[in-house]
Structure formats: C-alpha cells, structure tokens
C-alpha cells in the first residue's frame, strides 16, 4: 500500500476534484464531451507514457513537441496524398523512432546531457519545420478522419488504442526484464553496469521508444481533424513532463510508474474544462496548473523530509 | 574560446555577404551601424536572462521560470504605474522587488524542501505566466508610457542604445560576482559537489537562494527594458525567452552539470545567436525565402550540438587512445 | 537593383488568412514590377514584429506594409522607418495614426462587430445564449471587435446573452476543446461565434463531434477554404470576411503609389489596378463591406 | 593438469596520476578460498573490479578457466561465472530486495517476462540460506548497511558462479551473521567454487582461507599457503617493515579543556550520551569498529547533523552547532573521512580548495584577492609537503595522500581550536602516512585540541594521549594513551563478544 502511496494520492486528488465537479457542476459529466476530451488527450497520454520511461531512466526529452509537429506534418502530407493509413502508421512510428534515435545517440553515445541535447533538437526541428512549411496547414481528405470510421467509433478506437498502449507499457515496465532495466539504470547507472546491464544501450532504447510513441501519437492526432496544424505540438513537452511529475515519477530517476503518470495527466487535463464548467475565467488556467505542479512536488518534498 | 572565433567568422561573413548599397546609393544591411545597434538592442532582454541564468546553472541548477517572470513583472510594472498611479521609478522599484520575490519563491522551494530545480521552476513557469494572464484577464495591455521612460528602450544615450548601458552594467556586475567574488567560488563548489561545499562550511542554501533571487531580480529588470522597448506591457512578454537564454548560456560553455562556466562565455553565446539571427535576415537569399527566423533557429540548434560535441570529443578521443594503447599489452605472453 | 522593394509584414506568417493576403500582394507586386519581401513571426508576437521592421529599416526597403499585432508596440519602429524615408502603410490592424501614412481598412471594427452580432441575432431570432471564442485576447483588433459586438448586443438584443468568452491561442485544437467544454457547461447554448480564423473550424469540429449540428450554430470570421466543409455539412452557418486577396492587392498598390508620389494625404479616392477605385476616408482606404459566405455562395471563392 | 580458475598476469591500472596496480600476478584454483590481503589503498578493490569487468585494465592479461578474457565487461564476467560482493554495496535503493537479486541473477532477453512469485521465492530461499531475516519485498533503501551487505552476499551465492569474490564482506556484519557467512563460504569451497576473500581481519583469514596473496602499493609481494604463515609474518609482508611502527612521541603537556561534551546525543544519527573532554595540545583518539558511530559523532560536532540533546562547550562556553558554518565560526574544523566526496572538490584547483573555508577572513568584503590566496596556498604546499604541479592543479589530479593534505590545509587555514580528523590516513601510502602523523603531533604541540578517528588500531594507540572507544553510537570507554590493543578491542566489541573475536 505504502509503496503506491504517491500514485494513490494523485488518484485521491483526482477523485476529490471529480466529486467537487459532481456537486458544483454536474453538467461536466456528459458522455459525449467527456469522450471528446478523452480523444483529444489520447495522443498526449501516449507521449506521456514515453516521457515517464525517459524520466524513470533519469533523462528528459523536451523535443517531443517538435517531434510531434514534424511527424504530424510529414505523415499528414503522406496521408493527404492518399497513402493507405496502414502504411502511414509504421512510417509515423519509424520517423519518430529515427528522431528519437538521434537524441539517443547524442545522449547515450556521446554522454551529453539530455536536457541540452533535446533543447537543441527541439529548436532545430521546430524551426526546420517552419522553414520548410512556413506554418502552412495540411488539409486532409475525409477518408483519413477517424480512419474512415464513423466519428464516435473512431473516437472510441483512439481512446481504446491509447489505453491499450498504456496498459501494455505499464505492464511491460513492471513485468518485462527491459522495464526493470530502465528502473535500474535510472536509479544508479554504475550499479546497473556492475549488474551486467548496459546503461548506454538502455538509455538509447528509451529515447528511440519515446520517439516511436510520439510518432504514434502524431498519427492519432492527424486522424482527428481535417487539418493538421504545424503548431500542434507546441508546449506538449511541458504538458507531459508536468503530468508525469504530478503523477509521482521522480525527476531524479528510478521511481514512479505509468499509472501515476496517467492519473497526473487526467488531473491536469481536467483543469481547463472544469474551469469552464465552474464559470471561472480562463485566465486562471495556467496559474492553476502551475499551482498543481508545485503542490505535487511540495507534497513530495514534505513527505521525504518527514521520512528522512 | 572557439566560440569567439565562430563569432568573429560569423560577423565577418555577414559583414561582407549581408551589406549592400541600395538604389539610392545608401549602404544598407548588416554592415550599417544602425543594424549593429539593433542587434544590441534586441539582445538585451535575452542577454539579461542569460546573465541571470549563468550563476544558477553554475550551481548545477536551472530556472525555467525567468521568461514567465519577465512577463509577470512587466504586467505588475504596468499595473503599478497605470492602475496604481505610481510614478515610474517607484513602479519600477516595486516591479524589481516582485522579481526578487518570484526568485525567492523558487529559492525557498529548492533549498528548504530540497526539490529539483527543474520541476520547481517548471511549476513556477506556469504559475508566473498564469498570474500575469489572470491579473490582466489576458486582455489588458498597458501602453502610453511617458517619453522619458520609453527613452530607456528606444533611444540612444552616449552613442549606444540606452538599454545597452543597463545591460553592460548588469554584465559587469554578474561578472564580478562570478569571477571576482567569493560568491562565484561558492557557486562553483556547489555546482561541482554540493556535499563537498557543505563540508567546507559554505552556506550552501543561502548561496543557492542568492542565485535564484538574483535571477528573479534581473528578469524583472529585463521586463522593464522590454516594456520600454516595445512601449507596452502585456501578459505574453518574454514567452519562450528562457529557452533562448539557456541556449546562449550553454553555448557559452557553461556546463549544465554545474561548476564550469563563465560570464564572458555567456555574453559570447548571446552575441553568436543574435548576430546569426540578424545576419541571416540581411542575406538576400534568406530574405527571398522569408525564413531568417527559422534558419537561425535551425543553425542555433546545430551550433549548440556542435559545441557540446566539440566539448566531449577530447574525452572520447583520449579514451579511445588509451584503449588502443592498451591492446598490444593484453596479448598473451606465453 | 532599381526595383522598388516593398516589405509586407503579417501578424503571423503561417496563418492561412495572411497567406491568402500574400497571394493578392504577390499579384500586385508582379503587375507593378516591384520586389516583394514577406516575413513575419510564426507565432503572433509583437516583439518579433518590431525586430523584423527594424531589420527592414537597415535593409533600406522603400515601403513597409504592416498588420500590427500591437498598436503601441509597432508604432515606435514604424516612426523610425518613416524618419528613414520609408513609406509606411498598415493593413488588417492599424498602428498609431502618426506612425503610418494610410491604413488599408478591410472593414471598420464597428462594421465587423455589427455584421457578426446581427447575423447571430438573425440565426437565433434575437433570443438565447451564445458564446465567443477569441484568439489570444491580447490582439488589439480582437479586443476592438469584441467591444463592438458587446455594444451592439446591449443596444439591440436584450434577450440574447453572452455566456462565455474563451481564448484559443490561435490554435484550432484548443478552440475545439474550449467549444466542447462550453457546450457541456452551458446546455442552453445556441450559438458559438469565433472571431479568429482557427476558431471557426475548431468550434465547428467540436459541434460536429458533439452531434449538435444544427442545434448549436457556428458563425465567425474565417476563410472560405477552411470552413467550406463545415458550411456544406450545415455545421457552420455563415463565415464573414472580406476578400483577403484583394486586401493584400490593395495594400501593395497603396504602398507603391505612396512611394511613387501618386497617392498623397488628403486624397479622396484611390485607383488600384484591376480592382478599380476605392474610397479614401481621411487616412483610411476602405476595402468595402464585409462579405458573408454561406452555403449558397462559398464555392465561388477559393482562398 | 586443469588450468587454474582464474589467472592474472602483470595487471596494471592507473587512475589519472595514481598508479593503483603496478603489475599484479594472481591465481585462483577450484575449491579453494584465496585471501587477498593488503593495507588500505594497496589495490585490492581495484584488482577485483578488473576481474569483474567494472574497470578496464591498462595492461596485463586475464585468463578465466584457461581462456584469455579480453575486454571484460560486467555482463561478460557474469557469463564467465564470476560473482562479486563489493565493498560498497552496489544495490538499487529504490528497488525491492527481490528485484535487486533478480537483476543480478536473471539472464536472458529483454523481453523475458518477470515471474514475481518465483522471484520472491528465489530471493527468500537465498536469504534463508545465509540466515538473513529480510523480507524480499522491502525496498533496499530502508535496509541497514549490514542488511544490504547480506543481500549482496545472497546475490553472489545465488548466481551459481565458479568464482565468487568477497570484498570485506564482514566489515559491517554482526557476530552471528559472520558465522553464517563462514558456513556459506565453506559450502562453496566444498562444491568446487573458487573464492577470493578480502578482509583486514587476520583471524578470519586464518579461520577460512587456504592460500593468501599479499598486495603492497599495487604490487603482489607473494602468495603462500595460510598454514605456513603466522600473524606477524603476514603483517610484515603487508607493511614491508616491522609492526612496531614508530609513532612520533607526544611532546606537549595537555592544557585547558577546549572541547567539552556532556551527554551529547542525536537521535537522527544514533549518537547517544557522549561525554568527553578534549584539552588543548592533546590528541584524543576515537577507536571502534566500522559503524560504531564515530563519524556520526564528528558530524554532530561539525553541525552537519546537529545534536538534539546534551551540551557542547568550547573553552568553557556553551555553544550550539546547527550548521557547518556555525561550527567553523566557533573554531571547529573537520577533515572528513570520504575525501573524494567531501574533503576536496576534485574539479577545483588546489588553491580554491585550500581557501574554501576561509572566504570570510581571507577575502574581506567577499572580494577575491588572488595574491593573498596564492601565497597562502604556497605556504601550505610547502609546510605540508604537498606533491603537486602547482597551486592551480585540480584537486583530482593528486594522489590520495596529497588530497588528504589539501583537505587538512583547508582546515588549518581556519586557525581552528579543535581539529577533528576522520580516518586521516585511510588509503594513504606509508610515506604520506608518517608525514601526516608528524603534522598532527606538531599541531598538538602548537596547542590545538585534536580528535583523531581511526580504524587503524596501531595508529590510534600510537598517536593518542587518550583513547575513546565507541560502540553503537555511545562512548563505552576512555583509555589512556598507549593502552593495550586487546583492551581497546574488548571495549570496541563489548566484553560479551570478546571471546569470539
Ligand atoms: N575511481 C578511482 N579514481 C581514482 N583513484 C582511485 C579510484 N579507485 C581507487 N583509487 C586509488 O587507487 C588506489 C587503490 O585503491 P583500492 O580501492 O584498490 O584499495 P584497497 O586495497 O581496496 O583499499 P581498502 O582496504 O581501503 O579497500 C588508492 O590509492 C585509491 O585512492
Ligand atoms: N550510507 C549509509 N547508509 C546506511 N547506514 C549507514 C550508512 N553509513 C553508515 N551507516 C550506519 O550508521 C552507523 C554509524 O556509522 P559511522 O560511519 O558513523 O561509523 P564509524 O564508527 O564512523 O565507522 P567508520 O568510520 O569506521 O566507517 C552504522 O550503524 C552504519 O551501519
Ligand atoms: Mg577496497
Ligand atoms: Mg567513519
């Protein structure tokens, strides 16, 4: 029980928030808007899973937003040209993985600090995309939207896909050897090396993984609307890092899990619609999200202090 | 040092490739004095933030909130002056105080609760920007500042853009702090080994707090200069500046792991980015592609990676050499 | 080169609205034999606009045409340009009067505000709740339009109620989230009015996904191409806009005429190439009335 | 004849300038316990880290089971059947005991699934075999140091290795646990495993080992069957001189009481009711087994973990020491045990390291005066005979003993009243060691009150005017200088355990 205290407290906070909504703004709970909300957050969830892996491995990737935009636009163009989605999907994941591999090679191969490496690739990718596309939208044919399925079906497909990915990754992280390696490397890379793990390989793998997941997320994004906006990944990195951290993944590596990250994401994602329902002005949104992040880390800090 | 050569090469290249004589027989483009002053003027705010971040990063910390704090202080300054009816100098002083307070909030969370700076300042990054938006309800823009105030941001004084003097003053101040005072020593010791610094009896927490409070203060000064340059205070002021500032600091050779770094390096980093951006904007080819901003972004990213790689190459090389040298000796002796 | 150089500054260069303005500007530049520079921030950022203008000043361009993100912010730079002998016109969103020679006015804020509000009232028969999606709330012309919409509401439609105003940061995805939340928070919502161009398709997508097509109407300021699909599907009722290509075309003509001395302060009318003559009101060159695109006419336009 | 399990020839290894191994030969046969002996810093840990693939040798050959092992990595070493209990447990504090054990033992592809039940079962079995009562589900961070050591041992045991290396496994074990360990080692030997056993406790070596190899200053000085050796002979081999080492005699007459502790305790660090006086010109030694709480007491006195009970007085005045800054201001100096992490900042120049504790006095108004700093540094480099390429060489470029001198110089520069030295000669070569001893004497003569913590029994006995002995965080005895080593050990172990030691 105490092992998952951190995750449970986020779930608790979420529950309190939802109960408060049920009392003060019951209109919040309507199936269709909630499904829409879930659909739009589905790609974010997929990226957040990857970010959780990276942070557990004691690295960080702030280039996900730019990767997301780049893959969205590239695969959007392919899809708009009529390439079959079944072909575009692996291309999206592959392109993401390739970009992730670039980060991974620099971080693991040259042992450069990940925050700076991904800062550089973030700027370079975003501006590179702007350079080529000049901010232009990609218009998608109808057949792409919701994979050509009816809207409601398509939305469910996306949400279920994201949840399935979450479940698969969450279970894999706990029950596959590879998942345990990530924890080991994040806790103490030197001890991991002595235990026969190759930390650099694990680190590289984690970056490739987040790249591939970001590619998939981009794919989940482009099927949602008739236009792909190149700015779509703007700020995604901070959003997912915040979600992951609120969800109890320690930035110092080795601690946390995907379920917590999921709860953290839900908590932050509910802020904007909740504000609308509570008729609080929109301008408080960022401040409240900031306060939630600080609250989460302060709670962590206090708890650790008490234990120490 | 490498960066200095890059900067000179960059500057010379743009001087020759980006300067032309126009139809009216006037020299225009990168080589004009006006453009050089513009570069200076436009780099003041990011330059200030980079200076603010240098001590912080030397202590192995990071402050993502400086850009947001700039926005918040700009708004508060506007509010004190416009809504509060206070004279400009008092409003500015109050805004500086608020900046220091914002820095103190970061410092308190980081030192008292031992929280990771990256996450604390990620939180305050949202919080400060959010407060700026909440205070103005997103929409209020403070304008119509008096001429005398706008002078700081828009006019020249003693030949240079007026804000450049403030910038240089802060640069000298931070340089002295980091390179000529015991604080700098302490920052470095903390950056290399916080435990080592504690065992040496240094007031580790107090000095870390100093770095963050100073960062807040400088961000507030940048806010005032920004307001004076644009003649407006708006909640979105300084959006994304933190990333440019961090880029400049790291480009200038300050290690994100702490300990190593210099103020001159930071200044060179700021200059390299500013010259690149402005220079590209005056190249005819780039102009026709209307992509100066984007291209400079791509090149800055590439430059940063290059600088980092160049930094570790000697290490990798010596490792490899050691391994090769060891090979013959490991052959069986029998 | 001996060509005149005209620099054309949008608020944000990826925005489809300004891309369509640019098409008209390019046409005019070709006709007039001038060189056109088009550059702007990728996000709507006042500080970057200033920097670009100052770069142009040192480049010694002949004409600068600006859509101001922020009135005060840009005016200093524009005054400096004028002092350097550069002719300045503004379009889409004006700067301070003394910082430019002419403003190419696509439609007065009042005209836009009234057109939108009247259209909303027509669709709701003057009765019911509606909500607004705006860009960043910091853009000057958005504020201006909102002000006139609210004034008109107060004055003429007492039975209508504006229940929410939400910003979408010029992002379509955000507009969609906001619209979804607004609908579930306000079950009686009858109409969403979006006054920034990504906002209209965003709101329409939200209404469509919520299955409320026809029950919640969408109107707003936007481009025909971005909204064509929704107008045909009946999600979006009307999109109001001027001909953006013409706006760019007229702006370049005005700028070049100013530089050549063909257009002087005090002129009463101005002839712009193939578009013919436009009225000049003080220092405003008027493009004309806003135009309402709907199911019947939207296919005649492609921008 | 079957080749030896492990054969090392002419291994060399340097860290920066420090030569840890200068050409070591060693071999291990199946079914033997081979002890490795040597003073602190002789290179024992370095040697075994090369065998486990943790360090790459600079030169020399490693043969495992008669085959040349090149480019050994930890994974490759494990595959060759080499397992190790490291001196500092290399466990993952955030993972559970079972997971830690599994990470060491389970091999196979990265997509192999984890059988949690089997894992816990296996961990429980292994821990039971060595008689440890640890729940496999607990997180390692909540274990005590000896418990972590037991987990390490369990890992080595469970790996089914042909070669098991133990680097001071008993250092923090209780008597009972030691016994269990010995049983395990004997079992291993019986099943044909080769065990390399490192320990400073000679009695263990006589009880357990078949052969012994002695290392001195990075070289092997000989391998002998244990049965042919006696204690004195081994010590002679280790130190290369007679045991009766010459310690400089005490020349000063103790003066006034400078530091007085009355019932000092700190719950957080386990220090309990310490009452002790240290006089000017006196060297008070602190003896005890590893983990006895001597470092913790020093940390209390230096304000790192402030005392929460009792009284501390300096020159008769009661003081509170809540932070190192306050302790320094009161005239207390602490040369810490772990000099690489706490004693010197390795990346910073010697000069900066030496002046780090005197910023306030040397640099008035916080303004750096480079001239003053340089001359102060040069003075200490000369006084303490620090071997370095100049005052601005990085601290990390120095050998251990010279780093220790830099750390000492930093504190002498503060002109302290009380100097606490924690293991000042650990990992320091013989020459530097006697220099440090001379310095300590000289300082005492100059009127300093010195508290000397050392695990080197002859050193504490030889250097101290009085010897305090600690056990379990409490001061159990204060003996006169030159006391009998057995008396000190008896106090350190507690009389009940005496017979077993
Ligand atoms: N990572 C390292 N970097 C630099 N020097 C090192 C490193 N590890 C060990 N040394 C140095 O190498 C020498 C041998 O150290 P080693 O740890 O092998 O000694 P040891 O015989 O195991 O001593 P102990 O009995 O204290 O464990 C020492 O002088 C030590 O300071
Ligand atoms: N890193 C650590 N984690 C957990 N417990 C520790 C740690 N270091 C020491 N301890 C425990 O704290 C207690 C006191 O240790 P301390 O280091 O003060 O002993 P000591 O007498 O100074 O021994 P020595 O200096 O010889 O290592 C012991 O029970 C020890 O096991
Ligand atoms: Mg050792
Ligand atoms: Mg100790």
């Amino acid at each position: 029980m105490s092992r998952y205290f951190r995750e449970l407290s986020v779930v608790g906070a979420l529950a309190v928030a939802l109960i408060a909504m049920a009392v003060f703004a019951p209109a919040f709970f309507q199936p269709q808007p909630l499904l829409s909300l879930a659909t739009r957050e589905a790609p974010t969830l997929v990226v957040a899973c990857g970010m959780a892996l990276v942070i557990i491995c004691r690295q960080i990737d702030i280039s996900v937003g730019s990767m997301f935009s780049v893959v969205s636009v590239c695969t959007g163009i392919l899809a708009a040209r009529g390439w079959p989605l079944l072909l575009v999907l692996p291309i999206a994941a592959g392109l993401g993985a390739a970009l992730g591999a670039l980060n991974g090679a620099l971080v693991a191969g040259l042992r450069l600090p990940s925050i700076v490496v991904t800062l550089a690739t973030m700027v370079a990718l975003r501006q590179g995309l702007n350079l080529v596309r000049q901010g232009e939208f990609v218009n998608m044919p109808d057949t792409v939207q919701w994979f050509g399925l009816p809207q409601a079906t398509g939305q469910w497909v996306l949400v279920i896909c994201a949840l399935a990915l979450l479940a698969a990754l969450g279970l894999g992280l706990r029950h596959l050897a590879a998942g345990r390696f990530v924890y080991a490397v994040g806790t103490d890379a030197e001890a991991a090396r002595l235990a026969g793990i190759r930390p650099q390989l694990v680190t590289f793998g984690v970056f490739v993984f987040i790249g591939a997941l970001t590619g998939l997320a981009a794919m989940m994004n482009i099927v949602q609307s008739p236009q792909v906006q190149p700015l779509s990944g703007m700020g995604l990195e901070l959003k997912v890092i915040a979600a992951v951290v609120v969800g109890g993944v320690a930035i110092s590596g080795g601690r946390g899990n995907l379920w917590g990250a999921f709860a953290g994401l839900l908590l932050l994602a509910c802020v904007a619609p909740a504000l609308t329902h509570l008729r609080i002005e929109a301008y408080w949104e960022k401040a409240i999200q900031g306060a939630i992040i600080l609250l989460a880390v302060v709670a962590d800090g206090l708890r650790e202090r008490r234990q120490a | 040092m490498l960066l200095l050569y890059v900067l000179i090469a960059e500057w010379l290249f743009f001087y020759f490739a980006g300067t032309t004589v126009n139809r009216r027989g006037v020299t225009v483009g990168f080589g004009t004095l006006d453009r050089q002053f513009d570069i200076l003027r436009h780099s003041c705010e990011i330059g200030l933030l980079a200076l603010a971040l240098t001590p912080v990063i030397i202590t192995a910390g990071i402050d993502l909130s400086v850009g947001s704090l700039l926005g918040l202080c700009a708004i508060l300054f506007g509010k004190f002056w416009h809504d509060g009816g206070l004279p400009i100098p008092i409003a500015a002083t109050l805004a500086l105080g608020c900046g220091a307070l914002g820095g103190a909030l970061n410092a308190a969370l980081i030192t008292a609760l031992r929280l990771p700076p990256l996450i604390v300042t990620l939180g305050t990054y949202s919080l400060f920007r959010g407060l700026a938006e909440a205070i103005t309800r997103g929409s209020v823009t403070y304008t119509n500042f008096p001429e005398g105030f706008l002078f700081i941001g828009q006019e020249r004084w003693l030949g240079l853009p007026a804000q450049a003097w403030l910038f240089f003053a802060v640069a000298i101040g931070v340089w002295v702090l980091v390179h000529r005072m015991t604080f700098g020593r302490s920052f470095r010791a903390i950056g290399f080994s916080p435990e080592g610094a504690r065992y040496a009896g240094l007031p580790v927490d107090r000095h870390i707090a100093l770095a963050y409070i100073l960062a807040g203060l400088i961000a507030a000064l940048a806010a005032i200069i920004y307001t004076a340059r644009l003649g407006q205070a708006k909640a979105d002021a300084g959006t994304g500046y933190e990333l440019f500032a961090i880029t400049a600091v790291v480009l200038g050779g300050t290690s994100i792991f702490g300990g190593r770094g210099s103020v001159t390096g930071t200044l060179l980093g700021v200059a390299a980015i500013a010259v690149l951006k402005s220079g590209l904007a005056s190249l005819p080819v780039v102009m026709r592609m209307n992509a100066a901003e984007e291209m400079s972004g791509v090149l800055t990213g590439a430059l940063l990676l290059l600088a980092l790689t160049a930094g570790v190459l000697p290490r990798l090389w010596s490792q490899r050499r050691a391994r090769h040298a060891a090979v013959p000796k490991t052959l069986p002796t029998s | 080169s001996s060509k005149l150089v005209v620099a054309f500054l949008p608020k944000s260069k990826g925005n489809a609205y300004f891309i369509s303005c640019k098409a008209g500007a390019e046409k005019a530049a070709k006709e007039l034999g001038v060189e056109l520079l088009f550059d702007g921030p990728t996000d709507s950022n006042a500080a970057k606009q200033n920097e670009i203008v100052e770069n142009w000043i040192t480049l010694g361009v002949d004409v600068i045409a600006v859509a101001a993100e922020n009135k005060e912010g840009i005016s200093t730079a524009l005054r400096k340009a004028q002092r350097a002998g550069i002719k300045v016109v503004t379009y889409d969103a004006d700067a301070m009067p003394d910082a430019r020679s002419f403003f190419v006015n696509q439609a007065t804020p009042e005209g836009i505000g009234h057109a939108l509000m009247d259209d909303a009232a027509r669709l709701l028969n003057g009765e019911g709740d509606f909500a607004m999606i705006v860009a960043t709330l910091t853009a000057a012309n958005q504020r201006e339009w909102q002000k006139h919409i609210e004034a008109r509401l107060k004055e003429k439609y007492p039975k209508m109620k504006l229940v929410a105003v939400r910003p979408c940061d010029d992002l379509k995805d955000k507009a969609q989230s906001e619209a979804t939340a607004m609908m579930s928070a306000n079950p009686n919502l009858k109409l969403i009015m979006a006054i920034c161009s990504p906002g209209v398709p965003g709101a329409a997508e939200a209404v469509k996904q919520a299955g409320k097509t026809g029950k919640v109407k969408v109107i707003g300021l936007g481009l025909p191409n971005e909204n064509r699909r929704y107008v045909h599907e009946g999600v979006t009722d009307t999109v109001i806009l001027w001909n953006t290509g013409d706006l760019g075309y007229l702006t370049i003509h005005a700028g070049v005429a100013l530089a050549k001395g063909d257009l002087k302060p005090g002129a009463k009318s101005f002839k712009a190439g193939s578009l013919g003559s436009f009225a000049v009101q003080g220092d405003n060159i008027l493009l004309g009335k806003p135009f309402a695109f709907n199911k019947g006419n939207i296919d005649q336009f492609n921008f | 004849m079957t080749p030896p399990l492990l054969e090392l020839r002419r291994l060399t290894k340097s860290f920066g300038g420090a030569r840890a191994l200068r050409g070591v030969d060693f071999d291990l046969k199946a079914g033997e316990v081979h002890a490795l002996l040597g003073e602190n810093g002789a290179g024992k840990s370095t040697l075994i880290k090369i065998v486990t693939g943790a360090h790459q040798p600079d030169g020399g050959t490693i043969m495992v089971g008669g085959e040349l092992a090149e480019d050994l990595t930890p994974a490759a070493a494990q595959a060759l059947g080499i397992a190790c209990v490291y001196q500092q447990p290399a466990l993952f504090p955030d993972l559970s005991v079972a997971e830690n054990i599994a990470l060491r033992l389970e091999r196979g592809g990265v997509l192999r699934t984890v059988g949690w039940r089997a894992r816990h079962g296996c961990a429980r079995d292994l821990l039971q075999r060595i008689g440890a009562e640890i729940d496999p589900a607990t997180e390692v961070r909540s274990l005590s140091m000896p418990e972590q050591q037991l987990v390490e041992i369990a890992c080595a045991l469970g790996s089914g290795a042909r070669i098991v290396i133990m680097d001071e496994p008993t250092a923090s074990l209780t008597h009972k646990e030691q016994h269990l360990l010995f049983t395990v080692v004997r079992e291993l030997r019986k099943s044909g495993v080769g065990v390399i056993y490192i320990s400073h406790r000679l009695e263990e070596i006589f009880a357990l080992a078949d052969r012994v190899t002695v290392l001195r200053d990075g070289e092997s000085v000989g391998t002998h069957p244990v049965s042919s050796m006696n204690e004195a002979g081994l010590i002679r081999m280790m130190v290369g001189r007679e045991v009766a080492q010459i310690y400089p005699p005490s020349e000063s007459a103790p003066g006034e009481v400078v530091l007085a502790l009355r019932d000092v305790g700190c719950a957080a660090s386990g220090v309990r009711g310490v009452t002790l006086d240290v006089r000017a010109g006196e060297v008070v030694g602190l003896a005890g087994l590893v983990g006895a709480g001597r470092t913790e007491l020093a940390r209390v006195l230096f304000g790192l973990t402030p005392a929460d009970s009792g009284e501390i007085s300096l020159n008769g005045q009661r003081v509170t020491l809540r932070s190192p800054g306050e302790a320094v201001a009161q005239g207390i100096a602490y040369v810490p045990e772990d000099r690489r992490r706490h004693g010197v900042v390795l990346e910073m120049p010697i000069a900066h390291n030496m002046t780090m504790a005197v910023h306030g006095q040397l640099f008035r108004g916080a303004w750096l005066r480079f001239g003053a700093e340089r001359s102060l540094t040069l003075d200490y480099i000369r006084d303490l005979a620090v071997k370095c390429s100049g005052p601005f060489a990085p601290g990390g470029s120095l050998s251990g003993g010279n780093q220790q001198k830099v750390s000492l110089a930093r504190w002498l520069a503060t002109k302290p009243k009380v100097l606490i030295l924690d293991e000042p000669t650990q990992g320091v070569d013989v020459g530097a060691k006697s220099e440090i001893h001379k310095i300590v004497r000289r300082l005492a003569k100059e009127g300093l009150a010195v508290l000397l913590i050392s695990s080197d029994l002859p050193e504490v006995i030889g250097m101290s005017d009085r010897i305090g002995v600690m056990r379990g965080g409490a001061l159990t005895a204060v003996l006169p200088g030159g006391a009998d080593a057995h008396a000190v050990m008896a106090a350190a172990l507690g009389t009940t355990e005496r017979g077993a030691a």
Side-chain angles (χ1 to χ4, degrees), chain A residues 167-215:
Chain A
L169 288 171
L171 291 174
L173 196 58
R174 178 141 173 75
H175 294 292
L176 288 187
R180 306 323 291 168
F181 290 175
V182 175
Y183 280 97
V185 172
T187 308
D188 186 341
E190 180 58 20
R193 197 175 72 87
L194 293 179
I197 298 168
R198 292 169 67 186
Q200 304 306 319
L201 210 61
V202 174
T203 306
F204 178 76
V206 162
F207 276 99
V208 173
F209 218 79
I210 193 176
L213 287 177
T214 307

Side-chain angles (χ1 to χ4, degrees), chain A residues 3 174-181 183-185 187-198 253-255, chain D residues 53-54 74-75 78 86 90-96 99 103-104 107 109-114 116 119 137 141:
Chain A
R3 191 185 164 119
R174 178 141 173 75
H175 294 292
L176 288 187
R180 306 323 291 168
F181 290 175
Y183 280 97
V185 172
T187 308
D188 186 341
E190 180 58 20
R193 197 175 72 87
L194 293 179
I197 298 168
R198 292 169 67 186
R255 256 190 299 169
Chain D
Q78 281 173 9
Y86 289 105
L91 297 172
F92 305 98
D94 288 325
L95 303 186
S96 73
E99 279 185 75
L103 271 170
R104 291 283 185 80
R107 288 287 142 246
V110 291
L111 293 182
R112 153 180 61 86
T113 53
V114 169
W116 287 95
R119 213 173 229 205
R141 70 165 60 249

